[in-house]
């Protein structure tokens, strides 16, 4: 099994630190706003990585974090008048509900910055004691980037390059402009904790390093996140952690690509953010996943108009074939080992979901041929597709449940002609003119619709 390592810029054979076990951490969401498609994508990718590693026989301990205190959350607290800790807790609860609807698995460990303050303070103090960090007179604490000789190893930048265009903001007391804050002194009205340097709160970068150390110790196998985190966040994590431990922090650094919408970077300022909650009101979670996973995880995804509708169309076509097979032959008995073997082969090459999904078209073409030939092994193929591709979050629903969900999210507009015929038929029934009611029902059926009567009226459905 090979995984692309951002640190070495190459695919490497995956060999864990401890045989049979994997320690894996992925940077989660800063809960200053709603969960958008980028958040959902990152959570999906690392859930898939975890599940595939487990499929290969590894015992995986997978941790994700919520950043529940930072500048953006404090600004939101000021805007809304809601205390920062309550605002963060409310957002976490909402985001958890949306991720559950998206059907992304829970990590082994959920970590939160506010539950690790003592751990963070201890980490910072050890960096100060070892000469890698320094407290400023104003109560801030900074990491000294010149003290870590490998600074820039992940992003392939030199400290000199980083200093170009960097300026020290008012109130900052850095020795070098590239130094970054480990602890920020509290301003009036801000959430804060006591520390040896006065009241304050942790800087963003130290949170992940400290939570990792508490959860896993000094080293982990895989550290992941979006590509936008390579610098400065992950670069700073390496500097902090390796300065403290003297050991290589993570064997593999993995980064998923970013989301673009019609060729533009997704951002609030451009007004093109796609909220996950809004997408799930219109499309099944499997269609959203299918659209995202058609691109290799390391590449940027360009979500063009209609991409989710096209994905829903493909998923619906696959489910329609499965429905025909299962109605004719049942659920299948033995599966098809070749389908699973092929899937394992492409996923073992750096989690190639794009190739795994493209294989589905050939698989279902073969299933259709077997269906036409009355070959009962079509049911085994469907059984295997369900079992194998559930790892990607696909084909987990019963066919009826899937189609009911899609219809509920996209109710079809009934033509006025059909509505008028249905109303005439209802009036005929009330007048007990059964022959006219039957004739009107036939006209409605010819237009592709059916009328279902109830004690309080009728409903029109697509046949």
């Amino acid at each position: 099994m090979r995984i692309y390592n951002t640190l070495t810029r190459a695919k490497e054979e995956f060999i864990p630190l401890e045989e049979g076990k994997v320690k894996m951490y992925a940077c989660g969401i800063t809960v200053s706003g709603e969960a958008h498609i980028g958040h959902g994508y990152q959570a999906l990718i690392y859930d898939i990585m975890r599940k595939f590693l487990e499929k290969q026989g590894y015992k995986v301990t997978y941790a994700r974090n919520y950043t529940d205190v930072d500048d953006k959350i404090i600004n939101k607290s000021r805007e809304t008048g809601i205390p920062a800790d309550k605002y963060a807790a409310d957002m976490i609860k909402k985001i958890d509900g949306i991720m559950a609807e998206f059907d992304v698995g829970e990590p082994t460990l959920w970590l939160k910055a506010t539950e690790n303050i003592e751990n963070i303070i201890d980490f910072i103090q050890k960096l100060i004691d070892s000469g890698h960090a320094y407290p400023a007179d104003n109560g801030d604490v900074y990491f000294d980037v010149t003290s870590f000789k490998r600074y820039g190893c992940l992003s392939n930048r030199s400290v000199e390059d980083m200093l170009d265009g960097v300026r020290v903001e008012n109130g900052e007391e850095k020795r070098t402009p590239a130094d970054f804050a480990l602890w920020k002194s509290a301003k009036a009205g801000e959430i804060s904790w006591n520390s040896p340097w006065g009241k304050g709160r942790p800087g963003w970068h130290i949170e992940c390093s400290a939570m990792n150390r508490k959860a896993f110790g000094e080293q982990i196998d895989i550290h992941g996140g979006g590509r936008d985190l390579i610098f400065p966040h992950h670069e700073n994590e390496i500097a902090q952690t390796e300065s403290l431990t003297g050991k290589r922090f993570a064997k593999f650094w993995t980064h998923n690509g970013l989301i673009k919408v019609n060729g533009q970077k997704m951002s609030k300022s451009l007004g093109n953010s796609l909220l996950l909650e809004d997408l799930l009101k219109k499309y099944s979670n499997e269609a959203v996943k299918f659209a995202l996973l058609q691109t290799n995880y390391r590449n940027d995804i360009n979500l063009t108009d209609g991409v989710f509708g096209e994905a829903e169309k493909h998923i619906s076509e696959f489910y329609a074939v499965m429905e025909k097979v299962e109605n004719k032959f049942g659920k299948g008995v033995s599966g098809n080992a070749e389908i699973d073997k092929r899937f394992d082969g492409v996923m073992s090459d750096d989690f190639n979901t794009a190739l795994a999904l493209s294989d589905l078209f050939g698989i279902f073409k073969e299933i259709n041929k077997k269906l036409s030939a009355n070959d009962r092994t079509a049911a085994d193929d469907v059984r295997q597709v369900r079992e194998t591709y559930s790892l990607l979050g696909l084909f987990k629903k019963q066919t009826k449940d899937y189609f009911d969900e899609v219809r509920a999210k996209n109710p079809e507009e009934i033509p006025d002609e059909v509505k008028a015929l249905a109303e005439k038929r209802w009036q005929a029934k009330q007048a007990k003119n059964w022959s006219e009611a039957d004739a009107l029902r036939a006209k409605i059926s010819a237009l592709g619709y059916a009328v279902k009567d109830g004690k309080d009226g009728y409903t029109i459905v697509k046949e």
Side-chain angles (χ1 to χ4, degrees), residues 227 256-260 295-302:
R227 196 174 64 241
N256 61 275
L258 307 181
I259 302 287
K260 295 180 180 179
T295 301
N296 181 285
Y297 80 92
R298 289 191 286 114
N299 297 333
D300 289 348
I301 298 176
N302 185 25

Side-chain angles (χ1 to χ4, degrees), residues 74-145:
I74 289 169
N75 289 337
K76 282 289 187 180
S77 173
R78 290 196 186 102
E79 288 174 19
T80 61
I82 302 170
D85 54 349
K86 184 178 188 311
Y87 178 88
D90 290 346
M91 286 303 302
I92 287 172
K93 184 177 180 181
K94 182 174 184 180
I95 291 168
D96 281 346
I98 294 167
M99 288 299 179
E101 186 180 349
F102 191 41
D103 190 25
V104 173
E106 289 283 318
T108 317
L109 301 170
W110 269 119
L111 306 174
K112 297 175 184 175
T114 58
E115 295 174 356
N116 281 269
I117 299 299
E118 289 185 12
N119 179 33
I120 290 168
I121 290 172
D122 176 69
F123 199 117
I124 295 171
Q125 187 61 59
K126 284 181 167 62
L127 287 174
I128 293 172
D129 293 343
S130 62
H132 290 285
Y134 56 93
D137 292 339
N138 64 358
D140 294 341
V141 180
Y142 294 99
F143 183 87
D144 179 2
V145 297

Side-chain angles (χ1 to χ4, degrees), residues 86-291:
K86 184 178 188 311
Y87 178 88
D90 290 346
M91 286 303 302
I92 287 172
K93 184 177 180 181
K94 182 174 184 180
I95 291 168
D96 281 346
I98 294 167
M99 288 299 179
E101 186 180 349
F102 191 41
D103 190 25
V104 173
E106 289 283 318
T108 317
L109 301 170
W110 269 119
L111 306 174
K112 297 175 184 175
T114 58
E115 295 174 356
N116 281 269
I117 299 299
E118 289 185 12
N119 179 33
I120 290 168
I121 290 172
D122 176 69
F123 199 117
I124 295 171
Q125 187 61 59
K126 284 181 167 62
L127 287 174
I128 293 172
D129 293 343
S130 62
H132 290 285
Y134 56 93
D137 292 339
N138 64 358
D140 294 341
V141 180
Y142 294 99
F143 183 87
D144 179 2
V145 297
T146 64
S147 73
F148 183 66
K149 301 308 178 188
R150 292 180 61 238
Y151 194 71
C153 62
L154 187 67
S155 59
N156 201 27
R157 304 182 187 190
S158 67
V159 174
E160 291 74 20
D161 290 339
M162 296 174 201
L163 290 175
D164 286 343
V166 174
R167 62 191 179 97
V168 177
E169 301 291 338
N170 290 335
E172 291 183 331
E173 299 181 8
K174 299 179 180 181
R175 294 176 183 170
T176 304
D179 293 350
F180 56 89
L182 302 174
W183 187 261
K184 296 185 176 185
S185 57
K187 297 180 177 65
E190 288 185 352
I191 187 171
S192 62
W193 291 265
N194 291 321
S195 80
W197 321 287
K199 280 186 171 293
R201 57 189 171 84
W204 175 36
H205 311 301
I206 193 65
E207 294 174 356
C208 286
S209 285
M211 288 187 286
N212 253 300
R213 176 170 168 256
K214 183 178 180 181
F216 294 119
E218 295 181 334
Q219 294 178 289
I220 61 174
D221 295 288
I222 299 172
H223 194 311
R227 196 174 64 241
D228 55 328
L229 299 182
I230 293 174
F231 183 85
H233 187 51
H234 289 167
E235 194 74 75
N236 292 350
E237 278 194 67
I238 290 174
Q240 296 160 164
T241 302
E242 297 189 8
S243 291
L244 183 70
T245 66
K247 299 177 182 179
R248 182 166 166 177
F249 177 22
K251 283 194 73 174
F252 285 82
W253 286 87
T254 60
H255 294 92
N256 61 275
L258 307 181
I259 302 287
K260 295 180 180 179
V261 179
N262 292 318
Q264 289 186 305
K265 180 181 176 181
M266 190 175 68
S267 69
K268 278 186 182 178
S269 61
L270 292 173
N272 64 353
S273 292
L274 296 175
L275 298 185
L276 190 56
E277 182 179 20
D278 291 343
L279 285 171
L280 293 176
K281 287 176 182 175
K282 190 170 183 181
Y283 305 103
S284 70
N285 60 41
E286 295 192 10
V288 176
K289 291 172 184 175
F290 191 90

Side-chain angles (χ1 to χ4, degrees), residues 45-75:
I45 284 299
Y46 288 99
D47 183 44
I48 287 171
M49 287 187 184
R50 181 265 298 269
K51 287 174 178 172
F52 187 70
L53 287 164
E54 289 175 338
K55 189 172 191 282
Q56 302 312 297
Y58 293 106
K59 178 177 172 49
V60 181
T61 304
Y62 169 42
R64 285 181 67 79
N65 79 298
Y66 271 128
T67 296
D68 57 349
V69 57
D70 84 330
D71 293 342
K72 292 179 181 178
I73 293 168
I74 289 169
N75 289 337

